[in-house]
């Protein structure tokens, strides 16, 4: 006589909060992809004239950071 095997699987917890957020891993992947493709340096070059000499943040960084929101 065989006994049925009982498996206990962890139940995933789903967060349904209405907050626009990306996982940390997703944000890191996006940032790494931007740098690997050369998009960051190309934007820095293209938006150089839009950045004031004493600006705290380069216009390309502001644009890329907006993509993470």
């Amino acid at each position: 006589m065989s006994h049925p095997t009982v498996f206990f699987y962890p139940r995933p917890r789903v967060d349904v909060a209405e907050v626009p957020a990306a996982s940390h891993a997703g944000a890191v992947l996006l940032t790494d992809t931007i740098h690997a493709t050369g998009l960051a340096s190309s934007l820095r070059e293209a938006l150089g004239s839009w950045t004031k000499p004493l600006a705290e943040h380069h216009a390309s960084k502001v644009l890329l950071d907006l993509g993470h929101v």
Side-chain angles (χ1 to χ4, degrees), residues 19-48:
V19 177
S23 68
H24 178 68
V28 170
L29 178 63
L30 180 60
T31 302
D32 288 350
T33 303
I34 287 168
H35 290 289
T37 60
L39 179 61
S41 59
S42 294
L43 280 175
R44 186 168 185 80
E45 184 179 327
L47 297 176

Side-chain angles (χ1 to χ4, degrees), residues 42-60:
S42 294
L43 280 175
R44 186 168 185 80
E45 184 179 327
L47 297 176
S49 62
W50 288 62
T51 305
K52 294 182 180 181
L54 298 176
E56 195 166 325
H57 300 289
H58 196 277
S60 63

Side-chain angles (χ1 to χ4, degrees), residues 3-19:
H3 296 285
T5 305
V6 178
F7 294 100
F8 293 99
Y9 294 102
R11 291 181 172 251
R13 183 173 173 267
V14 178
D15 186 4
V16 293
E18 294 185 21
V19 177

